[in-house]
């Protein structure tokens, strides 16, 4: 594992833009979001150096810190199943050395010391200011955008509009293939909450064994996402700070009370309501988990927002026609708005998938509920489920967090816009 | 803990690769194992420490792939089998005696290259001398044309200390990519830039160094002389030259002035491809900004016109009076720390003029393959290779391989299973730099350094001096002569041998050198500051009769159309691309690429093509392509480079054939116009996708 990465920008050397390198490891931020968000309290701060460290015995390998860090510092090691990252070479510092990277950089481009020993600044092309108090500073030289004047021979008919030929768009490190388990989990939580409401409030006939099976499946699939499955119970310990802990904890509470209510056949309304509150909390936590500052899109106003989905499923199971239509309309609006925005931003709106999501997923059930109540309820439920799953999958396809590569690419986009 | 600290030792040493930097290093050794390599701040030229290759020694020394025992090829199954040193020496003495008696000692070729430097390397020649001679090679793959060009004009090869670069106001990297080949040089260069200096890079590629520059000019490969002479013409006609300096120190200026008349900007644009406007821009910078240092690379002198090209570029340094001052320097190569050599390169590379000496026969390094094949009376029967990998690195691989395979017996001393070692009958395990002490100089920094022994050789590795010692005894050479000419095995005899070498230099002792690098005695921090020149006339010879006498070139700097590169003449049309084979940061020629840590960063060879050419040829990124000419071909994935000069292809040199590399299948066995260098950077090739699919390319 390389704890320090050197990001190269413009490696195909487009003649109109500079070639940039960013050498980056952990910046040992003052406001370290990796630490706050880690569900298992695996992070600690070294007393002596203030370095941000990971305790390998506590990490469950959920990779959440890697999402939360906009500098791509936590690196997931698939072999050990946990996160590793730059530890500021604290053993060397204790032995009055300096970090190995600074020691060995042959040009002296990396150095270690107190910032007032150097003339420094805090920003540089490609290094975003996220207000985290990173402990890295840049020499106050104007080298970062330097590029030579050169003859760009137009006999080659170089096509300036084809700039994107030369600069690769960074590929997202998050995709459905790696995150499918999260998609399943985050679909099941609102679904089960709605289902529970239906069973206990609208007397929907549903065998409790199947409910238990769904719940266990959610927990199992959810834990598939972590590198250290047998340790994944630790994911609840940071409920004070981490929405990921809160998500797991509230779902477990929901599931436990729901199962108790269903098996005991309890008729206490307060128990049902408590259970539903836990369910709502779990869905709200899901939304908050993805509402990290480091995310490239804002997370809450999304058509697959889990809170909306809870309400939708609850409505469907309670057979409350108008609220369902209202929520579907809201989702439809959010969905279309997002797609049109993608189209304008040059991102792929996935038209085919969109049609599937829109027609059977939202328009069909809404229209039928309004116009033709004779259509089978099961058909409506099925098409809503299909639409919801599609949307949740798209959510993960679109999910991206800020990192140095993206940051450099947005610099390039700025150049392209002005070109 | 205390015990650990106690056992951990830190030694000073230096990197002996054929690399400008020659970094001083601190080696941490724990219980006989090298645990880390760190910078040695006493070396003012490499204060921040070694490159990645230097750090990778930790792996290299203990690599599982290292050859640790003598290995003999079993002719039946072609596998190498371990044999004992006893059997090795018996076999070697039997073979050597047989070839000598049957065909004469000159049927044996001793081939050495620049894989590791050190004074003890000279022991090998002492051995072969006692043996009664053998065939040697003359010339060198690296730098002789430039050395000779500089020697002809300035009298010798020396330059200002590297840290003087900070004083320059104009730095021209002419065909040098220091970011990769001499990364420590970028420290003073960047300091100079920060102090307001201008950096100009002249290179067909947009290199890492180019991206630090103010101006990048991309001449067609092999045409640099025309550019330089065109600039000289502008400087002269606009009177931006140093008349006083020229009158006092330069020989032949008026003839030079006449001869550059013909290099009009229009003609130069036509030859080099650089627009007139930019030729003027270059001339204007050179004329106005002082002091100027030109840092020429070694690549552009590995052309058939290399020597004359270097003389042409050097003339710009001379006519502007940028010699012998702070920040004003011709930064080609400096022999100031080679204090132990009686004769310096390039002269020491020349074939012996007398044809009756012990080594009366030498063959060309540049034409190794064909020369080996064509040499008769006696024909070559055996080769002994050390410190080199000629199968990968010498031009014309097909013929080199053919020549090797024609021999009866091949001995290779190696650390790893290189392409050359694979061809051997007998492989002897080679030491690393940490396993025997030696003295080294540098052609870039001004230090004499001790490359110190810090660990015992692993396995059954024996340093070459020991191999020769035992073999000499086995062959029954006169005992007293052996003892005089070859140091006996063991650390003390080696140290005594080195101490004897240091005797003429009272300031240099082994004890002091064990602490770190020492500046060479009589060092001129600013070379030529006394403005005396070791040429026949005592002046800077821009007009050199020696040049025409020795090399049959124009006594004045001139642009000669390169044989293969340059503007394509009729027969060159078959192969429209010029192949560039530069060095890259993570290997020294064919060394280091086999290590895991290096592979982590550079794992596969590839060829680069210019964007416009890729469109024209319908070649896509990462596609497999065949690069070929009449000498050979290699197949590689392709990368598109949007700033490369069109008409050029780039493959980094040094990739082993077994790794899919082997650029020298494509290179020509050809000597440079002077100095007996190899003009193997000048090759025309063509490129095509490997599988000719249907035309479905859409740009
Ligand atoms: S750089 Fe990333 S991992 Fe390091 S402290 Fe900051 S947020 Fe955490
Ligand atoms: S438990 Fe998760 S968030 Fe915490 S360190 Fe491990 S991978 Fe990162
Ligand atoms: S290879 Fe060159 S730069 Fe690297 S450590 Fe050796 S001398 Fe220094």
């Amino acid at each position: 594992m390389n704890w320090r990465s050197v990001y190269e920008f413009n490696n195909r050397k487009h003649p109109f833009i500079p070639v940039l390198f960013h050498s980056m490891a952990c910046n040992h931020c003052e406001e370290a979001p990796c630490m706050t968000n880690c569900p298992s309290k695996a992070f600690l701060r070294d007393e002596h150096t203030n370095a941000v460290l990971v305790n390998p015995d506590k990490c469950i390998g959920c990779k959440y810190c890697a999402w939360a860090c906009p500098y791509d510092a936590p690196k997931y090691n698939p072999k050990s199943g946990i996160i590793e990252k730059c530890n500021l070479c604290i053993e060397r510092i204790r032995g009055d050395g300096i970090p190995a990277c600074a020691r060995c950089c042959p040009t002296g481009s990396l150095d270690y010391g107190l910032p007032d020993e150097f003339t420094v600044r805090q920003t540089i092309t490609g290094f975003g200011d996220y207000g985290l108090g990173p402990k890295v500073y840049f020499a106050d030289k104007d080298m970062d955008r330097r590029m030579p004047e050169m003859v760009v021979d137009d006999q080659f008919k170089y096509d300036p509009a084809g700039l994107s030929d030369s600069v690769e768009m960074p590929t997202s490190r998050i995709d459905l293939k790696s995150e499918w388990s999260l998609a399943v989990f985050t679909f099941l939580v609102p679904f089960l909450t709605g289902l529970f409401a239906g069973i206990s409030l609208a007397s929907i006939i549903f065998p409790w064994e199947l409910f238990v099976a769904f719940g266990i499946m959610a927990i199992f699939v959810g834990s598939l996402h972590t590198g250290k499955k047998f340790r994944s119970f630790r994911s609840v310990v940071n409920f004070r700070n981490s929405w990921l802990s809160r998500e797991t904890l509230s779902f477990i509470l929901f599931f436990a009370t729901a199962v108790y209510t269903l098996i005991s056949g309890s008729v206490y309304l307060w128990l049902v309501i408590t259970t539903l509150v836990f369910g709502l909390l779990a869905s709200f936590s899901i939304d908050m988990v993805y509402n990290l500052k480091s995310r490239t899109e804002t997370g809450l106003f999304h058509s697959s927002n889990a809170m909306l989905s809870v309400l939708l499923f609850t409505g469907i199971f309670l057979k409350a026609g108008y609220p369902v239509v209202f929520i579907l309309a809201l989702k439809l609006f959010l969905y279309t708005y997002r797609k049109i925005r993608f189209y304008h931003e040059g991102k792929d709106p996935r038209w085919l998938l969109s049609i599937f999501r829109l027609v059977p997923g939202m328009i069909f059930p809404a229209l039928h509920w309004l116009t033709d109540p004779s259509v089978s309820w099961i058909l409506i439920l099925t098409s809503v489920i299909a639409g919801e799953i599609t949307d949740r999958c798209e959510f993960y396809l679109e999910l991206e967090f800020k990192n140095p590569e993206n940051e450099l690419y947005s610099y390039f986009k700025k150049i392209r816009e002005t070109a | 803990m205390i015990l650990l600290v106690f056992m951990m030792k830190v030694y000073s040493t230096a990197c002996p690769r054929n690399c400008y930097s020659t970094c001083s290093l601190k080696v941490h050794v724990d219980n006989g194992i090298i645990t880390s390599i760190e910078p040695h701040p006493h070396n003012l030229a490499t204060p921040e420490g070694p490159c990645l290759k230097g750090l990778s020694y930790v792996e290299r020394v203990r690599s599982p792939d290292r050859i640790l025992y003598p290995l003999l090829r079993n002719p039946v199954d072609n596998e190498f089998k371990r044999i004992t040193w006893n059997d090795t020496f018996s076999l070697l003495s039997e073979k050597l005696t047989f070839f000598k008696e049957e065909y004469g000692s000159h049927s044996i070729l001793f081939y050495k290259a620049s894989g590791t430097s050190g004074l003890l390397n000279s022991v090998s020649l002492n051995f072969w001398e006692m043996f009664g001679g053998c065939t040697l090679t003359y010339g060198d793959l690296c730098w002789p044309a430039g050395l000779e060009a500089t020697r002809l004009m300035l009298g010798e090869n020396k330059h200002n200390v590297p840290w003087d670069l900070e004083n320059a106001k104009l730095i021209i990297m002419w065909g040098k990519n220091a970011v990769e080949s001499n990364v420590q040089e970028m420290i003073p260069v960047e300091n100079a830039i920060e102090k307001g200096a201008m950096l100009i890079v002249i290179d067909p590629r947009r290199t890492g160094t180019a991206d630090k520059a103010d101006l990048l000019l991309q001449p067609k490969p092999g045409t640099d002389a025309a550019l330089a002479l065109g600039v000289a013409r502008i400087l002269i006609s606009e009177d931006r030259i140093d008349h006083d300096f020229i009158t006092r120190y330069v020989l032949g200026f008026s003839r030079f002035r006449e001869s550059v008349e013909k290099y009009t900007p229009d003609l130069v644009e036509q030859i080099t491809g650089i627009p007139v406007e930019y030729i003027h821009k270059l001339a204007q910078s050179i004329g106005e900004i002082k002091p100027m240092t030109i840092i020429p690379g070694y690549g552009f002198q590995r052309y058939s016109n290399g020597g004359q090209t270097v003389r042409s570029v050097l003339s710009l340094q001379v006519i502007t009076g940028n010699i012998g001052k702070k920040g004003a320097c011709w930064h080609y190569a400096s022999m100031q720390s080679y204090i132990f050599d009686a004769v310096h390169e390039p002269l020491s590379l020349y074939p012996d003029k007398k044809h009756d000496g012990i080594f009366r026969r030498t063959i060309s390094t540049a034409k190794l393959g064909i020369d080996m094949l064509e040499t008769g009376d006696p024909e070559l029967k055996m080769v002994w290779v050390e410190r080199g990998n000629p199968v990968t690195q010498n031009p014309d691989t097909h013929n080199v391989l053919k020549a090797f395979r024609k021999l009866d017996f091949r001995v290779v001393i190696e650390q790893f299973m290189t392409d050359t070692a694979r061809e051997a009958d007998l492989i002897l395990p080679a030491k690393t730099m940490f396993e025997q002490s030696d003295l080294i100089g540098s052609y870039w920094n001004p230090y004499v350094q001790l490359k110190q022994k810090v660990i015992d050789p692993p396995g059954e590795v024996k340093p070459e001096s020991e191999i020769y010692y035992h073999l000499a005894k086995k062959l029954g050479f006169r005992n007293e002569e052996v003892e005089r000419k070859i140091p006996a095995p063991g650390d003390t005899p080696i140290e005594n041998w080195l101490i004897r070498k240091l005797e003429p230099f009272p300031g240099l002792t082994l004890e002091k050198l064990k602490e770190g690098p020492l500046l060479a005695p009589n060092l001129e921090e600013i070379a030529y500051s006394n403005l005396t020149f070791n040429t026949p006339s005592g002046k800077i010879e821009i007009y050199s009769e020696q040049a025409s006498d020795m090399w049959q070139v124009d006594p004045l700097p001139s642009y000669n159309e390169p044989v293969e590169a340059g503007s394509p003449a009729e027969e060159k049309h078959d192969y429209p691309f010029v192949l560039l084979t530069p060095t890259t940061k993570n290997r020294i020629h064919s060394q280091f690429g086999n290590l895991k840590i290096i592979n982590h960063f550079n794992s596969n060879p590839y060829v680069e093509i210019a964007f416009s050419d890729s469109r024209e040829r319908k070649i896509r990124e990462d596609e497999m392509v065949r690069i070929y000419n009449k000498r050979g071909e290699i197949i590689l994935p392709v990368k598109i480079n949007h700033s490369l000069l069109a008409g050029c292809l780039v493959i980094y040199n040094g990739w082993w054939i077994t790794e899919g590399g082997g650029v020298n299948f494509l290179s020509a066995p050809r000597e440079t116009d002077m100095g007996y260098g190899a003009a193997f950077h000048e090759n025309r090739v063509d490129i095509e996708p490997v599988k000719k699919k249907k035309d479905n390319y859409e740009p």
Side-chain angles (χ1 to χ4, degrees):
Chain A
M1 295 300 306
N2 282 30
W3 293 349
R4 175 167 286 280
S5 308
V6 180
Y7 300 93
E8 189 180 355
F9 171 71
N10 190 14
N11 58 351
R12 292 182 187 164
K13 310 205 183 217
H14 188 283
F16 300 153
I17 45 183
V19 174
L20 301 174
F21 292 96
H22 261 287
S23 171
M24 221 181 297
C26 176
N27 303 315
H28 304 282
C29 307
E30 255 159 58
E31 306 288 332
C34 52
M35 183 180 292
T36 333
N37 286 297
C38 169
S40 73
K41 288 192 179 169
F43 280 86
L44 60 146
R45 200 177 279 279
D46 182 58
E47 280 174 22
H48 178 54
T49 57
N50 275 339
V52 174
L53 307 174
V54 181
N55 181 341
D57 295 329
K58 288 191 178 167
C59 172
I60 59 170
C62 67
K63 300 171 219 143
Y64 194 42
C65 51
W67 292 3
C69 166
Y71 305 117
D72 200 21
K75 314 270 179 192
Y76 180 70
N77 184 341
K79 278 196 195 128
S80 58
I82 53 174
I83 281 286
E84 291 175 11
K85 67 176 234 356
C86 152
N87 64 359
L88 200 67
C89 290
I90 44 166
E91 335 74 55
R92 291 176 63 104
I93 292 176
R94 284 186 192 131
D96 82 352
I98 66 168
C101 55
R103 180 78 164 126
C104 287
C105 170
T107 54
S109 301
L110 292 171
D111 213 335
Y112 175 82
L114 296 172
D116 33 306
E117 292 170 20
F118 311 93
T119 339
V120 292
R121 55 176 150 150
Q122 274 236 276
T123 55
I124 193 173
T125 310
F127 187 83
D129 179 7
Y130 310 110
L132 305 178
K135 288 284 162 262
V136 63
Y137 300 89
F138 300 92
D140 199 15
K141 295 184 187 179
D142 201 25
M143 296 293 274
D144 63 319
R145 283 176 202 199
R146 226 184 138 89
M147 67 168 294
E149 179 185 351
M150 54 195 275
V151 187
V152 180
D153 197 334
D154 54 18
Q155 106 188 27
F156 313 135
K157 296 185 197 66
Y158 201 91
D159 154 27
L163 272 167
S164 29
D165 263 2
S166 63
V167 180
E168 285 160 276
M169 170 121 145
T171 46
S172 169
R173 272 163 273 192
I174 296 164
D175 62 15
L176 200 54
K177 236 196 226 153
S178 57
E179 311 305 333
W180 68 270
S181 55
L182 294 181
V184 173
F185 179 80
T186 53
F187 162 76
L188 280 175
V189 172
F191 173 76
L192 289 177
T193 311
L195 179 60
F196 176 79
I199 300 171
S200 47
L201 297 176
S203 313
I204 300 269
I205 312 292
F206 195 81
W208 65 267
E209 292 88 346
L210 206 57
F211 186 90
V212 171
F214 271 129
I216 290 178
M217 182 169 114
I219 293 172
F220 175 75
V221 171
S223 75
L224 276 187
H225 180 72
T226 64
K228 288 273 182 222
K229 293 165 190 66
F230 60 88
R231 221 196 258 165
S232 49
F233 65 86
R234 283 200 58 89
S235 64
V236 298
V237 301
N238 194 14
F239 62 87
R240 276 168 196 274
N241 296 309
S242 168
W243 281 105
L244 189 54
S245 284
R246 291 174 193 159
E247 174 201 278
T248 324
L249 190 64
S250 48
F251 180 71
I252 288 171
L253 290 173
F254 160 78
F255 185 53
T257 44
V259 171
Y260 174 77
T261 315
L262 293 179
I263 296 179
S264 65
S266 163
V267 287
Y268 297 119
L269 191 61
W270 65 267
L271 200 58
V272 173
I273 290 176
T274 313
T275 311
L276 285 175
V277 167
F278 284 140
L280 277 175
L281 207 58
S283 287
F284 181 65
S285 305
I286 289 180
D287 291 333
M288 293 309 287
V289 160
Y290 296 93
N291 196 34
L292 288 169
K293 272 209 205 104
S294 53
R295 218 181 127 186
T296 46
E297 299 267 335
T298 43
L300 290 180
F301 302 103
H302 194 279
S303 52
S304 83
N305 175 299
M307 283 298 276
L308 281 184
S309 301
V310 166
L311 299 178
L312 179 64
F313 281 120
T314 311
I316 288 177
F317 283 113
L318 296 182
K319 301 198 174 147
Y322 286 106
V324 168
V325 172
F326 175 72
I327 295 167
L328 282 175
L330 191 57
K331 284 194 170 232
L332 188 98
F333 168 74
L334 288 172
Y335 190 84
T336 337
Y337 174 75
R338 186 169 93 244
K339 292 289 162 159
I340 292 172
R341 190 165 53 84
F342 278 15
Y343 176 72
H344 282 293
E345 286 173 4
K347 291 187 199 162
D348 176 16
R350 285 185 255 274
W351 290 128
L352 255 171
L353 211 61
S354 308
I355 291 170
F356 180 75
R357 169 64 176 132
L358 285 171
V359 179
M362 298 193 263
I363 299 174
F364 166 82
L367 284 183
H368 277 279
W369 213 312
L370 285 180
T371 56
D372 185 3
S374 68
V375 173
S376 127
W377 177 81
I378 290 291
L379 191 62
I380 291 179
L381 178 67
T382 321
S383 61
V384 165
I385 289 179
E388 284 292 300
I389 293 182
T390 317
D391 212 359
R392 203 62 208 169
C393 289
E394 283 195 71
F395 180 85
Y396 288 97
L397 285 171
E398 290 155 16
L399 187 64
E400 180 60 309
F401 295 95
K402 288 178 188 148
N403 59 40
E405 270 180 339
N406 293 336
E407 202 51 37
L408 282 169
Y409 188 73
S410 58
Y411 163 64
F412 156 71
K413 277 211 311 212
K414 243 183 269 156
I415 302 178
R416 187 171 57 174
E417 274 152 26
T418 53
Chain B
M1 191 61 198
I2 290 166
L3 192 69
L4 269 176
V5 173
F6 185 69
M7 291 193 317
M8 173 89 125
K9 282 202 72 177
V10 182
Y11 295 89
S12 159
T13 191
C15 179
R17 300 281 83 84
N18 185 353
C19 166
Y20 289 99
S21 308
T22 326
C23 301
S24 306
L25 313 170
K26 284 200 168 166
V27 188
H28 293 240
V29 181
D30 187 357
N31 229 341
I33 291 170
I34 295 173
T35 54
S36 79
I37 308 246
E38 303 225 350
H40 198 316
H42 288 178
N43 187 325
L44 296 180
T46 66
E48 302 285 350
C51 70
L52 180 65
K53 303 174 289 276
L55 299 177
S56 77
Y57 285 128
V58 175
E59 177 189 342
R60 181 162 164 177
V61 170
R62 285 165 56 80
S63 164
D65 298 334
R66 215 180 133 185
I67 297 168
L68 298 177
Y69 309 95
L71 299 173
L72 183 67
R73 181 193 297 277
N74 178 343
V76 184
D77 60 3
N78 252 339
E79 295 285 312
F80 286 103
K81 297 259 150 51
R82 177 175 166 183
I83 62 166
T84 64
W85 274 112
N86 255 341
D87 293 347
T88 305
F89 289 127
S90 306
L91 177 69
L92 278 172
S93 100
E94 180 196 309
K95 290 283 183 191
L96 288 172
T97 315
F98 171 77
F99 289 124
K100 184 176 173 183
E101 281 171 4
E102 199 74 7
Y103 309 102
S105 62
H106 285 74
S107 65
I108 299 166
L109 171 67
F110 171 63
Y111 183 86
K112 54 161 187 8
S114 61
T116 194
S117 58
L119 296 189
L120 279 161
N121 288 339
S122 65
V123 165
S124 53
L125 276 190
N126 294 352
F127 171 87
W128 292 108
E129 193 188 334
M130 284 187 276
F131 179 70
C134 64
T135 300
L136 297 177
T137 48
Y138 66 83
D140 184 51
L141 295 176
C142 185
W143 55 349
L147 289 181
E148 179 63 0
T150 308
R151 190 192 69 86
L152 290 171
M153 202 177 292
L154 299 178
E156 61 196 303
N157 280 279
K158 58 185 180 186
H159 62 55
N160 300 3
V161 292
W163 49 91
D164 171 64
L165 283 168
E166 282 189 24
N167 300 320
K169 285 284 168 255
L170 173 63
I171 298 175
I172 303 183
M173 293 256 187
W174 202 307
K176 180 168 177 181
N177 179 17
V179 159
E180 296 204 50
S181 64
N182 188 188
V183 62
Q184 290 81 2
E185 186 163 76
M186 292 312 288
I187 301 175
V189 169
E190 291 209 7
N191 287 345
I193 292 173
E194 226 183 311
K195 289 197 258 171
M198 180 183 191
L199 174 65
I200 298 179
V201 169
I202 299 178
D203 199 315
R205 301 186 296 144
R206 177 179 170 190
T207 57
T209 314
D211 263 274
K212 304 276 180 194
D214 300 276
L215 178 64
L216 166 66
L217 298 180
Q218 299 176 285
K220 288 183 197 155
T223 65
D224 303 66
L227 178 60
L229 297 173
V231 169
R233 182 183 183 275
I234 297 172
L235 290 173
I236 295 168
S237 68
E238 293 182 358
D239 200 21
R240 293 173 188 266
I241 51 178
D242 188 335
H243 290 286
D244 182 44
F245 183 86
I246 293 172
T247 334
R248 290 164 69 176
Y249 306 111
V250 179
L251 179 77
F253 176 71
S254 47
R255 279 186 269 203
F256 178 68
R257 181 174 49 205
E258 280 160 34
S259 77
V260 298
E261 246 337 284
K262 59 178 173 286
Y263 297 101
T264 61
D266 287 333
L267 178 69
V268 174
E269 167 168 345
Q270 208 184 313
I271 298 173
T272 61
I274 294 185
V276 170
E277 176 202 347
Y278 280 88
I279 301 168
H280 277 286
K281 214 169 212 171
L282 178 62
Q284 192 185 2
S285 307
I286 295 178
E288 278 176 8
I289 309 175
K290 280 178 193 358
M292 165 182 81
T293 291
I294 298 182
I295 314 182
Y298 295 162
F300 77 153
Q301 50 97 51
R302 293 174 193 145
Y303 279 70
S304 52
N305 60 2
Q308 283 296 78
T309 299
V310 173
R311 290 180 74 217
S312 305
V313 177
L314 173 49
S315 68
L316 296 176
Q317 194 83 45
V318 170
I319 61 173
T320 52
N322 276 303
I323 298 270
K325 300 171 195 145
K326 276 187 168 184
C329 172
W330 171 248
H331 229 276
Y332 183 72
S334 190
M335 305 289 187
Q336 296 204 69
S337 65
Y338 289 153
I339 54 169
F340 306 100
D341 304 356
V343 188
H344 280 310
E345 291 184 29
L347 296 180
S348 60
L349 299 169
Y350 296 169
D352 207 342
K353 284 277 163 357
K354 310 183 294 285
H355 291 290
D356 52 0
I358 288 184
F359 299 111
R360 62 182 165 276
R361 190 164 77 184
T362 49
I363 62 173
S364 168
T365 305
K367 299 188 282 188
L368 185 69
I370 41 175
D371 264 20
M372 280 173 77
L373 287 168
E374 283 169 7
T375 299
D377 191 28
E379 271 181 40
L380 292 177
K381 293 290 173 192
M382 174 182 156
V383 68
W384 177 297
V385 182
E386 63 185 53
R387 290 171 265 142
N389 185 8
V391 170
T392 318
Q393 291 307 111
N394 289 47
D396 191 18
T397 304
H398 273 303
N399 278 319
V400 174
L401 272 175
K402 202 164 149 196
F404 265 68
R405 290 176 180 165
K406 201 185 137 203
L407 299 168
D408 291 346
F409 196 62
R410 293 147 285 237
V411 179
V412 175
I413 306 189
E414 248 311 342
Q415 292 171 357
F416 294 102
M417 246 330 152
T418 60
D419 292 330
T420 305
R422 268 168 208 285
E423 294 296 318
D425 297 285
L426 179 64
I427 306 175
L428 308 179
K431 63 166 196 283
T432 66
M433 58 180 271
F434 303 101
E435 292 152 17
Q436 186 180 44
S437 292
D438 208 341
L439 290 165
I440 62 175
S442 162
Y443 49 86
W444 178 72
N445 75 45
Y447 292 101
V448 176
Q449 307 199 55
L450 180 68
K451 169 181 83 73
Q452 199 169 177
K453 175 173 174 175
V454 304
I455 52 170
D456 285 323
E460 288 182 8
V461 173
K462 283 188 199 299
E464 290 86 339
S465 64
E466 276 187 38
I467 298 177
Y468 286 120
Y469 182 86
H470 291 298
L471 195 54
K473 297 256 161 156
K474 185 92 192 172
L475 283 163
F477 296 169
R478 272 198 312 130
N479 226 354
E480 154 222 336
E481 202 185 350
V482 174
E483 299 295 341
R484 191 157 41 83
K485 292 193 167 159
I486 306 180
D491 298 346
T492 325
I494 295 293
E495 290 208 348
N496 290 339
W497 192 88
L498 296 176
I499 288 169
R500 266 209 309 286
K501 295 278 175 191
L502 287 169
E503 265 162 17
F505 311 99
L508 304 180
T509 64
L510 208 56
E511 287 322 302
K512 279 199 241 165
L513 284 165
K514 280 183 181 172
E515 298 304 312
L518 294 177
L519 286 174
N522 308 323
L523 169 72
E524 290 173 27
E525 287 223 7
I526 304 302
Y528 306 106
S529 48
N530 57 8
L531 293 163
T532 56
F533 301 93
N534 196 11
T535 52
S537 62
K539 287 187 161 190
I540 297 177
E541 297 200 344
I542 217 164
Y543 179 92
S544 164
E545 259 160 25
Q546 256 193 60
S548 56
D549 291 350
M550 288 178 74
W551 308 107
Q552 294 76 51
V553 296
D554 194 326
L556 289 161
S558 64
Y559 168 65
N560 303 330
E561 170 107 337
V563 182
E564 262 191 66
S567 41
E570 274 311 304
E571 96 269 19
K572 293 171 185 165
H573 275 304
D574 290 346
Y575 302 107
F577 291 90
V578 179
L579 177 64
L580 307 177
T581 52
T583 50
T584 165
K585 59 185 169 214
N586 288 337
R587 29 174 80 220
I588 295 283
H589 303 304
S590 66
Q591 295 192 63
F592 293 101
N594 59 322
L595 302 179
K596 279 205 203 83
I597 182 74
I598 301 294
N599 260 287
H600 191 79
F601 297 102
N602 302 75
S603 51
N604 285 303
Y606 55 85
V607 56
E608 280 182 289
I609 188 169
F611 178 67
S612 53
D613 290 330
S614 75
R615 281 198 170 183
E616 204 167 290
R617 293 307 190 97
K618 301 185 175 11
I619 285 171
R620 271 165 299 190
E621 180 94 356
D622 292 327
E623 189 173 9
M624 293 304 281
V625 290
R626 192 167 85 94
I627 304 100
Y628 64 99
N629 58 21
K630 55 182 183 296
R631 293 180 285 268
E633 64 166 41
I634 63 175
I635 291 172
L636 292 172
V638 64
K639 299 242 176 269
I640 296 168
N641 186 317
H642 293 232
S643 290
L644 176 64
L645 180 68
C648 298
L649 299 178
V650 182
I651 307 174
Y652 289 118
N653 91 65
W655 289 99
W656 295 0
I657 299 167
T658 45
E659 294 167 332
V663 285
N664 284 308
F665 279 120
L666 301 164
S667 66
R670 188 183 290 133
E671 286 179 3
T672 50
D673 53 353
M674 58 183 70
Y676 303 110
F680 62 154
H681 275 209
E682 184 189 329
N683 302 292
R684 283 196 166 266
V685 294
D686 203 353
I687 182 169
E688 63 178 20
V690 173
K691 260 185 252 139
K692 282 233 160 172
K693 281 196 225 121
K694 265 208 224 106
D695 213 355
N696 54 358
Y697 176 80
E698 282 154 57

